[in-house]
């Protein structure tokens, strides 16, 4: 009988951990050389997009503040108008009843 250790040691194939390590190092080397050149313009483009997004968000914030102020003003004006109409209706209610009863 042949022992398992004898078959493994005579095998021409490199162990799995060594082959994975060599593939990872090859990938890292190729990623560094080709990736750095391609990444810089993409990063610059992303920074530009982020700058425009921030500018647009600032515009949206100012628009929302303006809308809030207009809504508050409109709500206040509506309350004043309704209060005046209620006061006029209440003060003239007696006159309306006397006109309808005659």
């Amino acid at each position: 009988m042949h022992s398992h250790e004898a078959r493994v040691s005579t095998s021409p194939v490199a162990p799995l951990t060594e082959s994975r390590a060599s593939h990872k190092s090859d990938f890292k080397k190729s990623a560094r050389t080709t990736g750095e050149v391609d990444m810089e313009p993409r990063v610059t483009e992303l920074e530009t997009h982020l700058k425009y997004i921030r500018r647009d968000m600032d515009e949206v914030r100012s628009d929302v503040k303006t809308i809030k102020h207009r809504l508050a003003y409109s709500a206040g004006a509506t309350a004043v108008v309704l209060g005046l109409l209620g006061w006029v209706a209440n003060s003239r209610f007696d006159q309306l009843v006397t006109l309808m009863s005659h």
Side-chain angles (χ1 to χ4, degrees):
M1 264 206 258
H2 297 287
S3 70
H4 179 66
E5 292 172 7
R7 278 188 269 156
V8 172
S9 63
T10 59
S11 174
V13 178
L16 185 61
T17 55
E18 288 178 18
S19 65
R20 282 187 182 174
S22 67
H23 286 301
K24 284 183 182 178
S25 65
D26 291 342
F27 178 73
K28 287 180 182 177
K29 288 177 188 173
S30 67
R32 281 189 206 128
T33 56
T34 60
E36 285 180 359
V37 175
D38 294 334
M39 287 297 288
E40 188 171 333
R42 294 171 68 189
V43 169
T44 305
E45 184 179 353
L46 287 172
E47 288 174 343
T48 304
H49 286 297
L50 184 61
K51 183 176 21 171
Y52 288 133
I53 289 171
R54 285 185 177 170
R55 185 197 65 198
D56 292 343
M57 287 301 296
D58 289 339
E59 289 178 10
V60 167
R61 283 188 187 119
S62 68
D63 290 346
V64 167
K65 284 181 184 178
T66 303
I67 290 169
K68 281 182 180 180
H69 290 155
R70 288 182 183 174
L71 284 174
Y73 178 76
S74 298
T78 302
V80 168
V81 168
L82 288 175
L84 286 173
L85 287 174
W87 176 71
V88 168
N90 191 24
S91 66
R92 300 293 180 191
F93 184 72
D94 294 334
Q95 290 178 356
L96 288 174
V97 170
T98 55
L99 283 175
M100 294 178 86
S101 64
H102 286 191

